[in-house]
Amino acid sequence: MSDKKKWDLAALASIPLIMTLANSMLIPVLPLMQKKLNITAIQSSLIITVYAAVSIICIPIAGYLSDRFGRKLIILIGLTIAAIGGIISGLGAWLLQEQAAYYVILGGRLVQGLGAAGAFPIVLPLVGDMFRSQQQISSGLGMIETSNTFGKVLSPILGSALALIVWFMPLAVIPLFSAISIIAVAYFVKVPKPKKQKKDSPQGLGEFVKNTKDILAQNRWLYGIFAIGGILMFVMFGFLYYLSSVLEEHYHIDGIWKGLLLAIPLCAICLSSFIAGKLVGENKPKMKWFSVIGAVLLTASMLTCGLVNTKSIIFLISVMFAGGVGIGLSLPSLDALITEGVEKEQRGTITSLYSSMRFIGVAVGPLTASALMSHEEWLFYLLAGVALICSVVALFGIKPGKGKGKRKKAVA
């Protein structure tokens, strides 16, 4: 990979890092926001939920627009909208008080979620567009997943540290981070020129929906990829919510120390994502088996937590570290399969649907974990059960060809 391509990839990797920080950085400071704004716990949770909810709805639309008008343009617009949302939330927290500030913050978060829908999900197909070699695509996607997970590792620590300066600082820094990413993408990322095509009338929304249905009907394996991606995020955010609650309620650990402990299983995801992206290369059977092994490892770790039923901090973090390794092995492999298995002109739409499924897992995981906190063993049995479903779907639903690069042989 040339130095120029490395700079391109580094600029793109800044996007998932910043979009992850924009959401996850607020999680450790929600109790403080609740006190400052004089709101209920449910109201404070909406600061996170509204961001993910609007993203789920808008991501497929952003994918359609990226296929039609170009990935780089949609990414830059998305980052700009996210920065505007951050300005709204930051000014609302600074200039207003309590309920008035809360509703302005909520409005800003909604705008941020709209911008996020046009940023990170479009990065995946853009990486597939920029590189010809499947080895480079797999490596690039591994770096993107690593950046995304590194944002989750950094979020609880950075959010807690910024809140020590002033409680709304985690909200106020997002426009600055977004501006850095806008400059990096605008300056470094050079999108390959599309091949000349016949002048056809632009694809309408109705035709777009019909074509999307046709793609899914012809490539039913995509449903398996969507399901695995959503389930992995569901399990990850479910066990992270549980660990966060146990650290605070059972061990009375909060603030930066809590963030550091939460970062340990996230580091496992980060490192294994990077390594898996390097190792899978152009080998599609290897992509499949990394997905299967990762899901099996995740199943075993969640089942162990349910069977042993202990709150030993060393045990919990060790087992969840192993589960994090399993998630990290699977994600880059799924990204590579879905990017290589779909034609270039359709990647934005399909990968956006995949990202929406992942966001659903992000939104539902903490809610499910909170509902089952009084029945911890059943929570982990549920997480183990859905992870087992991932294993079965990856084993029997993903059938890559033996070759390295032929898209038609990518997945049966």
Side-chain angles (χ1 to χ4, degrees):
M1 188 183 299
S2 66
D3 291 339
K4 175 63 178 63
K5 290 294 186 181
K6 289 179 180 178
W7 280 109
D8 288 350
L9 199 55
L12 291 177
S14 70
I15 298 171
L17 173 64
I18 289 169
M19 292 300 99
T20 299
L21 289 175
N23 198 39
S24 300
M25 194 164 57
L26 302 181
I27 293 175
V29 298
L30 284 180
L32 178 60
M33 288 186 175
Q34 184 178 335
K35 295 176 183 177
K36 293 290 184 179
L37 297 172
N38 192 25
I39 57 177
T40 65
I42 294 176
Q43 285 178 308
S44 68
S45 68
L46 287 176
I47 295 174
I48 301 295
T49 302
V50 72
Y51 178 94
V54 72
S55 295
I56 292 168
I57 297 170
C58 295
I59 283 172
I61 299 173
Y64 163 64
L65 294 175
S66 78
D67 283 339
R68 183 170 178 179
F69 298 108
R71 316 241 194 259
K72 182 175 177 179
L73 175 62
I74 299 303
I75 287 173
L76 290 173
I77 292 173
L79 288 170
T80 302
I81 293 173
I84 293 171
I87 292 171
I88 293 171
S89 294
L91 289 176
W94 180 29
L95 299 176
L96 301 176
Q97 299 292 325
E98 295 190 348
Q99 289 289 324
Y102 168 70
Y103 288 114
V104 173
I105 290 171
L106 211 59
R109 292 289 292 164
L110 189 147
V111 175
Q112 269 189 320
L114 178 63
F120 172 47
I122 311 303
V123 172
L124 298 180
L126 182 52
V127 171
D129 295 348
M130 290 173 58
F131 298 101
R132 294 182 180 179
S133 164
Q134 180 60 27
Q135 173 72 42
Q136 292 179 333
I137 292 174
S138 298
S139 179
L141 292 173
M143 184 177 291
I144 296 301
E145 283 294 353
T146 301
S147 176
N148 181 27
T149 310
F150 180 68
K152 292 181 175 66
V153 174
L154 188 60
S155 291
I157 303 170
L158 185 60
S160 301
L162 289 173
L164 294 176
I165 302 172
V166 61
W167 68 271
F168 59 82
M169 186 61 73
L171 292 169
V173 298
I174 298 304
L176 175 61
F177 291 165
S178 298
I180 294 171
S181 191
I182 289 171
I183 294 170
V185 172
Y187 182 76
F188 289 111
V189 176
K190 300 294 186 292
V191 181
K193 293 182 180 179
K195 296 179 181 179
K196 292 183 179 180
Q197 298 176 343
K198 296 180 180 180
K199 293 183 178 179
D200 297 324
S201 58
Q203 186 185 37
L205 184 59
E207 186 181 357
F208 159 73
V209 173
K210 180 181 180 300
N211 289 342
T212 302
K213 290 181 179 179
D214 290 341
I215 295 169
L216 294 174
Q218 295 167 9
N219 301 277
R220 295 187 180 278
W221 58 271
L222 289 170
Y223 291 111
I225 301 290
F226 294 165
I228 296 171
I231 290 172
L232 290 178
M233 292 297 102
F234 169 78
V235 175
M236 180 172 76
F237 278 82
F239 78 62
L240 285 176
Y241 181 92
Y242 170 82
L243 182 58
S244 176
S245 299
V246 167
L247 289 175
E248 192 159 333
E249 296 174 8
H250 188 75
Y251 292 101
H252 308 291
I253 299 173
D254 54 15
I256 293 179
W257 286 109
K258 175 182 172 182
L260 288 169
L261 291 173
L262 285 173
I264 294 175
L266 289 167
C267 280
I269 302 174
C270 184
L271 291 173
S272 56
S273 291
F274 180 77
I275 294 171
K278 292 287 187 181
L279 293 179
V280 294
E282 302 179 34
N283 192 316
K284 294 182 180 65
K286 190 180 290 186
M287 296 175 195
K288 168 183 175 171
W289 287 109
F290 269 49
S291 300
V292 173
I293 293 169
V296 169
L297 183 58
L298 180 61
T299 302
S301 64
M302 294 298 100
L303 184 60
T304 301
C305 285
L307 292 173
V308 177
N309 192 24
T310 177
K311 287 189 175 65
S312 167
I313 190 169
I314 297 176
F315 172 83
L316 280 176
I317 292 179
S318 299
V319 175
M320 290 183 181
F321 183 92
V325 171
I327 293 173
L329 290 176
S330 299
L331 289 178
S333 303
L334 297 175
D335 293 345
L337 283 168
I338 201 170
T339 301
E340 177 62 14
V342 177
E343 295 295 337
K344 183 176 180 179
E345 294 77 12
Q346 303 157 347
R347 284 176 186 162
T349 300
I350 299 303
T351 56
S352 294
L353 291 173
Y354 170 60
S355 296
S356 289
M357 286 299 300
R358 287 176 56 162
F359 265 87
I360 291 173
V362 171
V364 176
L367 291 175
T368 304
S370 64
L372 293 175
M373 281 299 293
S374 57
H375 303 282
E376 298 172 9
E377 66 278 10
W378 289 109
L379 169 63
F380 285 110
Y381 291 152
L382 173 63
L383 297 180
V386 294
L388 181 61
I389 292 173
C390 281
S391 308
V392 174
V393 172
L395 182 60
F396 297 105
I398 301 176
K399 299 178 181 179
K402 296 180 180 180
K404 291 186 176 182
K406 302 294 185 182
R407 178 172 286 114
K408 291 182 180 179
K409 293 183 179 179
V411 185

